[in-house]
């Protein structure tokens, strides 16, 4: 069960969570603007999924391992990944942990137990199962969180991972961030069943939660994490939200949908979270405004600062293919550079 | 060192057994590898000895086996995965190409996937379309993988030990036709055959025959039966290839035949031929010839026509020797 918090601890936890949501949203908007200005190549915003991600993150312990996907910025920020790391990756500068090899949105942060993101969806899930096997084998008291979108539920990798995790009774939580859309395909056309219900067929717990309610998500995730940590095996959590942004900066949502959720509307999870916290007496409008302003200041400042960092040397594209550079690569590097 | 007569299956088993006894981070996973000991019995007896947690009978899902192995390897374990037949590996190609082979690159070396994927390949057992394929080109073509293939029990034992110690993901192709093709004296102790080094299995001046894996015995038989004065190179490592051994031999003989079982078009012979042409064409006295499987699926009834044999190898050798 979720630990009981006294009011002071609860206030701090929730307000910090709200701050991460706002910071994530602010960063998303900044990057989208920068992309429009030609300063960033591409981006997949997390807008609309902040409450899901912060609720999930609040349920984890520091040592837990996360196999995230490319729309998890609020999750990463709440786990303590510095804004620099995210901005460096998006810019592909020489401080980027992946040395400018990956397109934007493909973050990594091993220090914070975030694994590296790939484009082919759901292929992180079998890896997460393997990590969970390692954790169980080594009895390290960690659990693994694997995140993915609703589209991923159709893939063979999803099926394989769910089945394997259940068969080996592994300490893992699968979090489906159902934002309603896989690029242009609505979830109703993705699958005939609700995603959480698939858990039953694999022999694991399945839970659906309102992913726009970060406190409810925190509670549901807390139980799933507790089950994983205490040896009771995996859970599939389906957190329902809405993809407020385009799939990516290359996408035009007017081609396929008309039910846009506007930022600042009553369906915006950050507005929902703010109202909840105001009702609990944890926040008021002036504090919320301060949090927003501070986020803009931090993001603007970081962006300015990190944009000054030069790109990686071209030579770096030839490194880290294998542990040692092969003669073939040395030759090809010589030909090209 | 004391030695023992072993076939390839026993040699592979002895490496796995010894290395597992020394290092509890080594785990095996695959279909039917535990109780059953694998359909070719390479892992026979290991589950009884090391337990179900370390010798894992997995559900029937190749992409899951490889995917899990990658996750295990990223967290400090040393998984040795078995794919029952190389023909069955294709559903896992996304995991191999987009995860396993790219993890080191996309994390600038911070996260790696030093998985060993063992898999029997090649024909000669009447396996038809789906138990006979030689798909090495798929793996050789993918940056970020080491590709090994032994041709005898000694190399099998030593190469597998090197594969387990490799910091890189290794595709370890086992020529299934040679699994039980005779026993050879092999040291009982652990030893290593280095990655990246070809073996010169026959010495001669007139022609260089480059081959590997399942075709090595066919080439050796041809050379011996016909008294060919040939350098025969058993590549053993397909990536990274031993260009030094190839160059030295080709510059000496000036005549080259490449023999492999895989289909000709974009088979490894094409790459080897290009490498030689690019860097030492002035040493060549004759065109480089390839003896390979045809560009057909692997047939059931007519596998003896598919597989390169003594007659075809000899015809190619004769042709390059006679070329003026």
């Amino acid at each position: 069960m979720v630990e009981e918090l006294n009011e002071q601890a609860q206030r701090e936890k929730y307000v910090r969570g709200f701050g991460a949501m706002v910071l994530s949203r602010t960063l998303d908007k900044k990057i989208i603007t920068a992309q429009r200005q030609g300063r960033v190549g591409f981006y997949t915003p997390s807008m609309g999924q902040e409450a899901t991600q912060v609720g999930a993150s609040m349920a984890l312990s520091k040592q837990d391992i996360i196999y995230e996907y490319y729309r998890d910025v609020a999750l990463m920020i709440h786990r303590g990944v510095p804004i620099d790391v995210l901005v460096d990756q998006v810019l592909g500068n020489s401080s980027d942990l992946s040395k400018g090899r990956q397109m934007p949105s493909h973050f990594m942060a091993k220090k914070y137990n975030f694994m590296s993101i790939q484009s082919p969806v759901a292929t992180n899930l079998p890896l997460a199962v393997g990590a969970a096997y390692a954790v169980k084998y080594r009895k390290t008291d960690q659990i693994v969180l694997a995140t993915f979108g609703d589209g991923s539920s159709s893939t063979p990798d999803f099926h394989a991972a769910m089945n394997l995790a259940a068969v080996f009774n592994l300490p893992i939580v699968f979090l489906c961030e159902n934002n309603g859309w896989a690029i242009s395909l609505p979830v109703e056309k993705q699958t005939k069943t609700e995603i959480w219900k698939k858990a039953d067929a694999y022999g694991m717990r399945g839970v659906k939660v309102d992913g726009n309610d970060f406190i409810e998500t925190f509670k549901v995730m807390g139980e799933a994490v507790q089950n994983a940590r205490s040896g009771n095996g995996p859970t599939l959590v389906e957190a329902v939200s809405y993809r407020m942004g385009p799939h990516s900066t290359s996408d035009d949502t007017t081609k396929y949908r008309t039910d846009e959720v506007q930022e600042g509307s009553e369906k915006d999870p950050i507005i929902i979270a703010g109202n909840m916290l105001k009702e609990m007496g944890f926040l008021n409008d002036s504090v919320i405004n301060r949090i927003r302003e501070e986020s803009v200041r931090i993001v603007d400042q970081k962006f300015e600062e990190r944009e000054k960092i030069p790109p990686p040397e071209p030579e770096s594209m030839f490194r880290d293919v294998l542990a040692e550079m092969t003669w073939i690569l040395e030759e090809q590097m010589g030909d090209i550079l | 060192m004391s030695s023992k007569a072993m076939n390839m299956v026993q040699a592979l088993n002895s490496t796995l057994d010894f290395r597992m006894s020394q290092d509890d981070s080594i785990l095996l996973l695959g279909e039917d590898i535990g109780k059953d000991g694998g359909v070719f019995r390479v892992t026979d007896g290991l589950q009884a000895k090391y337990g179900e947690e370390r010798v894992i009978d997995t559900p029937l899902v190749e992409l899951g086996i490889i995917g899990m192995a990658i996750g295990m390897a990223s967290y400090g374990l040393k998984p040795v995965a078995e794919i029952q037949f190389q023909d069955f590996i294709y559903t896992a190609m996304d995991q191999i190409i987009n995860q396993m082979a790219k993890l080191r690159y996309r994390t600038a070396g911070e996260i790696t996937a030093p998985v060993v994927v063992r898999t029997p390949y090649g024909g000669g057992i009447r396996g038809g379309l789906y138990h006979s394929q030689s798909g090495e080109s798929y793996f050789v073509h993918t940056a970020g993988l080491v590709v090994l293939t032994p041709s005898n029990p000694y190399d099998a034992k030593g190469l597998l030990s090197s594969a387990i110690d490799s910091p890189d993901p290794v595709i370890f192709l086992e020529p299934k036709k040679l699994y039980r093709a005779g026993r050879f004296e092999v040291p009982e102790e652990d030893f290593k055959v280095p990655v990246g080094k070809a073996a010169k299995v026959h010495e001669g001046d007139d022609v260089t025959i480059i081959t590997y894996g399942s075709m090595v015995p066919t080439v050796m038989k041809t050379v011996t039966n016909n008294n060919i004065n040939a350098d025969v190179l058993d590549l053993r490592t397909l990536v990274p290839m031993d260009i030094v051994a190839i160059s030295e031999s080709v510059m000496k003989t000036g005549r080259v035949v490449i023999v492999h079982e895989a289909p000709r078009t974009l088979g490894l012979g094409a790459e080897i031929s290009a490498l030689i042409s690019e860097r030492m064409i002035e040493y060549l006295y004759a065109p480089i010839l390839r003896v390979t499987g045809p560009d057909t699926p692997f047939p059931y009834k007519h596998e003896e026509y598919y597989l390169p044999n003594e007659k075809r190898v000899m015809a190619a050798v004769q042709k390059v020797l006679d070329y003026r």
Side-chain angles (χ1 to χ4, degrees):
Chain A
M1 292 302 108
V2 178
E3 53 180 322
E4 292 297 328
L5 297 172
N6 65 37
E7 192 179 311
Q8 180 55 28
Q10 195 178 48
R11 173 196 294 261
E12 276 172 23
K13 192 170 182 110
Y14 291 178
V15 170
R16 194 175 86 75
F18 182 77
M21 289 186 223
V22 173
L23 192 53
S24 173
R25 176 71 60 88
T26 309
L27 182 61
D28 263 7
K29 284 159 66 181
K30 177 78 182 179
I31 299 171
I32 291 170
T33 305
Q35 194 276 337
R36 301 281 183 246
Q37 294 165 339
R39 294 151 74 191
V40 165
F42 170 91
Y43 190 60
T44 58
S46 303
M47 295 191 310
Q49 293 166 233
E50 295 93 342
T52 295
Q53 293 170 18
V54 166
S57 176
M58 287 187 343
L60 296 174
S61 297
K62 199 173 170 214
Q63 77 274 16
D64 293 336
I65 297 164
I66 303 171
Y67 278 82
E68 75 283 10
Y69 85 120
Y70 51 74
R71 219 183 287 287
D72 272 332
V73 167
L75 182 64
M76 297 188 82
I77 286 175
H78 188 264
R79 301 288 292 158
V81 177
I83 297 290
D84 308 32
V85 169
L86 303 174
V87 173
D88 287 343
Q89 199 283 326
V90 165
L91 294 169
N93 64 28
S94 55
S95 297
D96 170 25
L97 294 172
S98 55
K99 294 192 181 163
R101 290 172 188 159
Q102 289 239 75
M103 71 195 297
S105 296
H106 294 62
F107 301 108
M108 63 174 282
K110 179 79 192 297
K111 199 172 148 196
Y112 301 87
N113 284 327
F114 278 97
M115 300 306 284
S116 141
I117 298 168
Q118 78 295 329
S119 299
V121 301
T123 59
N124 56 328
L125 304 182
L127 274 62
V129 171
Y133 196 99
V135 157
K136 188 180 180 187
Y137 180 71
R138 289 299 191 201
K139 302 179 174 65
T140 63
D141 196 38
Q142 292 164 293
I143 69 114
V144 177
L145 171 68
T147 67
F148 51 99
D150 39 295
S152 289
S153 71
S154 294
T155 65
D157 295 72
F158 169 82
H159 166 69
M162 294 287 288
N163 186 52
L164 289 163
V167 164
F168 296 121
N169 196 43
L170 297 177
I172 184 167
V173 178
F174 295 98
L175 173 62
C176 177
E177 301 185 34
N178 176 0
N179 63 19
W181 293 91
I183 305 190
S184 68
L185 199 72
V187 68
E188 304 77 42
K189 290 188 176 175
Q190 191 71 243
T191 173
K192 284 290 265 185
T193 60
E194 288 190 87
I195 291 164
W196 68 278
K197 288 183 177 167
K198 297 174 195 290
D200 188 47
Y202 294 105
M204 72 170 79
R205 283 172 300 278
V207 194
K208 181 180 174 179
V209 64
D210 177 1
N212 284 332
D213 181 337
F214 79 104
I215 296 175
E216 204 47 40
T217 302
F218 167 43
K219 286 180 182 159
V220 165
M221 282 296 297
E223 278 187 40
V225 167
Q226 180 64 26
N227 270 315
R229 209 179 306 281
S230 56
N232 292 331
T235 306
L236 169 63
V237 176
E238 178 187 359
V240 181
S241 64
Y242 184 87
R243 196 192 75 207
M244 287 170 57
H247 162 69
S248 75
T249 48
S250 309
D251 176 33
D252 173 10
T253 59
T254 63
K255 288 275 286 177
Y256 55 82
R257 73 180 189 187
T258 53
D259 64 344
E260 303 282 350
V261 169
Q262 297 305 325
E263 192 185 12
S265 75
E266 59 186 15
K267 288 183 178 169
D268 180 336
I270 294 185
I271 298 298
I272 294 170
N275 289 340
M276 285 164 66
L277 294 174
K278 280 195 278 187
E279 232 167 78
M280 295 168 91
F282 290 173
L283 282 178
N284 58 44
D285 283 332
S286 78
V287 177
I288 290 177
N289 280 336
R290 255 206 332 271
I291 292 171
R292 290 185 191 280
E293 283 162 17
E294 180 63 6
S295 294
V296 171
R297 192 189 62 75
I298 291 170
V299 167
D300 283 350
Q301 187 206 325
K302 286 293 177 196
F303 223 85
E304 297 272 306
E305 180 190 310
R306 309 315 286 181
E307 267 189 317
K308 296 193 181 106
I309 299 171
E313 294 297 321
E315 185 206 290
S316 79
M317 74 169 258
F318 292 95
R319 309 232 169 254
D320 306 314
V321 176
L322 295 175
E324 278 179 43
M325 194 183 282
T326 58
W327 64 267
I328 285 192
L329 275 186
E330 272 179 35
E331 235 178 58
Q332 292 171 0
M333 183 165 74
D335 289 347
I336 292 171
L337 299 180
Chain B
M1 281 207 280
S2 62
S3 69
K4 195 176 163 185
M6 297 184 201
N7 63 28
M8 191 181 285
V9 168
Q10 294 165 319
L12 293 165
N13 184 283
S14 74
T15 292
L16 293 172
D17 189 1
F18 177 78
R19 297 303 302 267
M20 288 183 81
S21 74
Q22 301 297 302
D23 180 357
D24 75 354
S25 69
I26 300 173
L27 275 73
L28 313 185
L29 68 165
E31 294 156 11
D32 309 299
I33 67 163
K35 269 211 158 58
D36 198 31
V39 296
F40 288 101
R41 305 285 178 264
V42 172
T43 53
D44 206 22
L46 298 178
Q47 191 184 65
K49 195 163 172 184
Y50 298 104
E52 289 182 20
E53 215 188 359
R54 286 187 69 193
V55 181
I56 309 163
D57 273 319
T58 67
L60 211 164
V61 56
E62 285 74 17
L63 76 88
I65 293 167
I66 304 286
M68 265 185 86
I70 297 167
M72 289 172 168
S74 298
Y75 278 90
L77 300 184
K78 185 76 211 191
V80 180
E82 175 175 305
I83 298 298
Q84 199 161 72
F85 286 86
Q86 187 254 285
D87 316 54
F88 304 161
I89 208 166
Y90 303 115
T91 59
M93 287 305 268
D94 194 7
Q95 287 292 338
I96 291 172
I97 294 172
N98 285 323
Q99 291 284 9
M100 194 164 87
K102 291 181 177 46
L103 206 46
R104 175 186 292 279
Y105 190 71
R106 76 178 199 231
T107 64
E110 214 180 324
I111 305 171
T112 58
V115 175
V116 179
V117 180
R118 296 182 33 251
T119 188
Y121 85 103
I125 63 154
R126 296 255 174 245
L129 296 174
Y130 304 115
H131 298 78
S132 308
Q133 297 175 28
S134 295
E136 61 268 27
S137 285
Y138 303 122
F139 309 109
V140 171
H141 194 61
T142 299
L145 302 175
V146 166
V147 185
L148 307 177
T149 179
S151 69
N152 59 71
Y154 179 93
D155 286 347
K157 183 165 160 129
L159 270 183
L160 185 57
S161 201
S162 294
I164 289 170
D165 287 336
S166 173
D168 298 307
V170 175
I171 303 291
F172 194 87
L173 299 167
E174 300 170 359
K176 65 173 89 73
K177 185 173 60 174
L178 305 182
Y179 266 152
R180 297 171 194 283
R183 290 163 183 263
F184 297 82
E185 285 297 315
V186 177
E188 287 194 88
E189 293 81 0
D190 187 51
F191 64 95
K192 289 185 190 20
V193 168
V195 171
K197 293 270 177 256
K200 189 177 281 188
V201 291
H202 193 271
E203 184 95 35
D205 299 326
D206 293 348
V207 57
T208 299
I209 308 177
I210 302 169
T211 188
Y212 53 89
S214 61
M215 281 294 113
V216 174
T218 305
V219 169
M220 287 303 287
K221 199 173 75 180
T222 309
V223 167
T224 315
N225 289 353
N226 299 279
N227 291 317
I228 305 169
N229 186 17
D231 258 0
V232 179
L233 293 179
D234 174 356
L235 290 177
R236 302 193 292 196
T237 297
L238 307 186
V239 178
M241 201 180 285
D242 188 351
I243 191 67
V244 174
I246 293 173
S247 304
E248 281 174 4
S249 179
V250 172
M251 288 193 270
K252 178 179 71 175
T253 65
R255 300 176 198 272
V256 183
V257 173
I258 303 159
V259 183
H260 60 64
E261 199 178 313
R264 180 163 311 178
T265 300
L266 285 185
L268 206 55
E271 182 60 30
I272 296 168
S273 174
L275 284 170
I276 293 169
S277 307
E278 283 167 354
R279 45 188 73 226
M280 53 203 117
I281 197 160
E282 68 273 27
Y283 290 89
L284 294 179
Y285 302 121
I288 299 165
L289 292 189
R290 291 173 287 170
V291 184
T292 69
D295 292 348
T296 68
F298 195 103
Y300 172 65
K301 255 314 194 204
H302 293 309
E303 73 175 16
E304 60 271 35
Y305 294 98
Y306 185 96
L307 294 169
N309 55 23
E310 183 178 340
K311 193 174 141 206
R312 282 168 60 199
V313 174
M314 191 56 218
V317 168
Q318 202 60 60
K319 201 166 169 185
V320 300
L321 286 176
D322 292 347
Y323 191 89
R324 290 290 177 267

